[in-house]
Amino acid sequence: SEARASALESSLKNLGVEKLSKDEVQKMPWEILESKIGNWIHFMRIAVKLLFAGERQLCDQVFECSQSLRDKCFSAITKNSLATLLSFGEAIAMSKRSPEKLFVLLDMYEIMCELQTEIDTIFVGEPCSQMRDSALSLTKCLAQTAQKTFSDFEEAVEKDATKNIHTDGTVHPLTSYVINYVKFLFDYQSTLKQLFQEFKREDGSGSELASVTMSIMQALQNNLDAKAKQYKDPALMHIFLMNNIHYIVKSVRRSEAKDLLGDDWIQRHRRIVQQNANQYRRVAWSKVLQCLSGQGLTSSGGSGQVGSEGGNSSGASRTAVKERFRSFNMQFEEIYQKQCGWSVPDSELRESLRLAVAEILLPAYRSFQKRFGPLIENSKAPGKYVKHTPEQLELFLGNLFEGKQERP
């Protein structure tokens, strides 16, 4: 049996199986470890299905007369080889947890579940009981670490404290990272269901994939709300929230998460996108729109309405009208310059936001220009006040949210 044991160990060595201490495994850089885990999954499959199964067959043939001799001999031949393989798995399961490890833990858990029946069949009998227990113990340990990694991830999303919010209000790296992470989770749907079954709570409910996904999404949203508060400009804050929630909704609608989270969830989050777009429009443009209101220009009576400057039948003072145009130009240019540097990366969303601004701004400007423009047509340098046609303003609006600095 010693000769067979060393032949088996040589076969594993030739395959590429290394004897590594837990300490060595835990000190390895993640990139190297990741490829070694991929190899380990491959080795486990070959070892159980071919090598160990072959040794079992051989033992059964040689010691046909005695079941206990078969089991004893098989145990002696395979003990060290199995221990080497399981030891690597245990080192990974016990290593420091981090979000990117979840998927390899699930891969490892998957292969152990897949091989469980064969392990129980091949490592049959009392002499192999400890080996069976070790394999089962690794499966449970991987499940536990995966479960904890999952909880860590949700907590890390909620508490992510990266201060690097972009000055253009675009989609935050955390958002795309979390969405990609959740998309990957759906490749493991059946494995995760199995995993959650293992950890049913006392009330009998497992952490179902739907509720876990919702919790992660909620954690992300809470974090985005906190990040948004770092923007000093409330209009940009709404652009940031609109961009990020829109990215989440769009990604969910294109993935398997759509069926899991459901239509209500999607509709609720689309409303949040719309609310932020409306808030942005109100906060960013209300002052400019006040310049285009007739209020305060057409009240009857009062001083300085029709004086040396002349007036018109509406009773508006030319000076006041000039001041309004001047104020509009100044504020529009300031907003334009600032908001060309803001970014709405999704082209459809960008276009609809520009249209929403055009819908409130252009009719108000046309109406104001038509009503009060004639009053200053004959004054010195009217172009100084009526600087833009409505068509020019429309062209300017077409440059907003491109993430570039522009000057009108």
Side-chain angles (χ1 to χ4, degrees):
S1 72
E2 274 178 38
R4 290 303 313 152
S6 87
L8 182 58
E9 284 176 53
S10 293
S11 299
L12 286 175
K13 198 175 174 184
N14 293 339
L15 258 182
V17 175
E18 300 167 272
K19 274 189 177 174
L20 296 164
S21 72
K22 288 187 170 57
D23 206 36
E24 285 174 310
V25 171
Q26 291 179 2
K27 282 178 182 166
M28 256 178 213
W30 173 240
E31 300 71 43
I32 296 172
L33 207 51
E34 202 172 9
S35 69
K36 285 194 185 298
I37 291 167
N39 292 338
W40 179 85
I41 289 167
H42 179 59
F43 299 152
M44 275 303 291
R45 197 177 264 121
I46 290 174
V48 172
K49 289 180 180 285
L50 292 175
L51 302 178
F52 295 154
E55 290 299 331
R56 182 83 229 188
Q57 239 174 349
L58 200 61
C59 286
D60 288 355
Q61 280 165 4
V62 172
F63 302 102
E64 208 176 336
C65 54
S66 163
Q67 178 71 52
S68 70
L69 259 178
R70 284 184 223 168
D71 295 346
K72 243 183 228 166
C73 183
F74 177 71
S75 165
I77 291 169
T78 54
K79 200 173 185 175
N80 287 345
S81 293
L82 182 68
T84 301
L85 285 164
L86 296 183
S87 164
F88 178 82
E90 285 157 13
I92 300 295
M94 289 156 67
S95 65
K96 191 172 182 291
R97 297 195 303 270
S98 65
E100 69 274 11
K101 283 186 186 169
L102 178 63
F103 302 108
V104 294
L105 286 165
L106 291 173
D107 287 335
M108 292 170 80
Y109 173 68
E110 227 167 53
I111 189 70
M112 289 307 292
C113 289
E114 184 194 310
L115 297 173
Q116 196 64 57
T117 316
E118 279 159 282
I119 289 170
D120 288 345
T121 310
I122 297 168
F123 293 88
V124 76
E126 184 50 41
C128 298
S129 67
Q130 208 179 341
M131 294 152 87
R132 285 196 304 276
D133 290 348
S134 297
L136 190 61
S137 159
L138 173 59
T139 309
K140 288 199 179 307
C141 191
L142 287 165
Q144 216 160 10
T145 310
Q147 178 79 359
K148 284 177 184 160
T149 305
F150 215 103
S151 309
D152 291 348
F153 178 68
E154 191 185 320
E155 201 178 317
V157 170
E158 180 108 39
K159 291 181 177 167
D160 175 77
T162 31
K163 292 280 184 273
N164 63 333
I165 51 162
H166 295 288
T167 51
D168 60 1
T170 191
V171 175
H172 197 277
L174 178 72
T175 304
S176 46
Y177 175 71
V178 171
I179 291 297
N180 285 334
Y181 198 88
V182 168
K183 278 183 187 169
F184 271 128
L185 285 178
F186 283 90
D187 294 340
Y188 293 89
Q189 267 194 79
S190 55
T191 308
L192 285 165
K193 279 175 187 161
Q194 199 172 342
L195 188 74
F196 295 141
Q197 283 298 108
E198 296 224 13
F199 292 95
K200 276 208 162 177
R201 291 193 287 270
E202 271 150 43
D203 59 5
S205 67
S207 252
E208 292 307 326
L209 192 53
S211 67
V212 168
T213 309
M214 274 190 191
S215 302
I216 290 173
M217 293 300 200
Q218 193 53 56
L220 174 58
Q221 222 171 308
N222 295 347
N223 190 288
L224 291 170
D225 286 339
K227 281 186 174 31
K229 291 186 174 78
Q230 293 177 50
Y231 286 104
K232 293 191 171 53
D233 187 328
L236 183 54
M237 178 188 83
H238 290 300
I239 290 283
F240 171 79
L241 286 170
M242 179 198 73
N243 275 333
N244 281 272
I245 307 294
H246 179 268
Y247 180 88
I248 294 168
V249 173
K250 196 172 176 180
S251 304
V252 164
R253 287 177 72 195
R254 288 176 170 178
S255 75
E256 290 179 69
K258 177 171 65 100
D259 300 328
L260 203 71
L261 293 170
D263 281 342
D264 283 355
W265 188 94
I266 288 171
Q267 291 313 322
R268 196 165 71 248
H269 286 78
R270 284 176 80 174
R271 278 197 296 277
I272 296 173
V273 174
Q274 195 51 57
Q275 281 158 7
N276 278 293
N278 294 344
Q279 290 285 71
Y280 149 76
R281 199 170 67 161
R282 187 182 60 75
V283 171
W285 295 93
S286 56
K287 266 187 163 178
V288 177
L289 289 168
Q290 276 166 18
C291 297
L292 301 176
S293 134
Q295 223 173 350
L297 290 177
T298 57
S299 55
S300 53
S303 59
Q305 285 190 330
V306 185
S308 57
E309 285 274 18
N312 70 353
S313 56
S314 69
S317 115
R318 196 176 287 169
T319 311
V321 169
K322 281 179 179 175
E323 193 42 54
R324 279 294 181 86
F325 271 111
R326 191 187 285 116
S327 183
F328 169 82
N329 294 332
M330 193 179 73
Q331 285 191 43
F332 179 81
E333 282 159 25
E334 191 188 315
I335 286 180
Y336 175 79
Q337 211 176 328
K338 190 166 56 175
Q339 295 194 15
C340 278
W342 293 359
S343 175
V344 177
D346 184 84
S347 55
E348 270 180 55
L349 188 61
R350 186 167 62 238
E351 200 43 53
S352 75
L353 203 61
R354 286 169 181 167
L355 281 170
V357 173
E359 273 169 18
I360 54 165
L361 186 71
L362 299 181
Y365 186 72
R366 278 194 186 95
S367 161
F368 189 82
Q369 196 187 30
K370 193 175 173 186
R371 190 171 174 194
F372 297 105
L375 192 64
I376 51 174
E377 268 170 13
N378 302 324
S379 63
K380 207 163 121 191
K384 197 167 128 190
Y385 308 104
V386 186
K387 278 175 82 171
H388 310 294
T389 65
E391 291 68 35
Q392 282 170 327
L393 287 185
E394 196 167 4
L395 285 172
F396 285 139
L397 294 181
N399 291 330
L400 296 183
F401 320 123
E402 291 280 1
K404 300 179 200 136
Q405 294 303 327
E406 297 272 351
R407 295 196 76 84

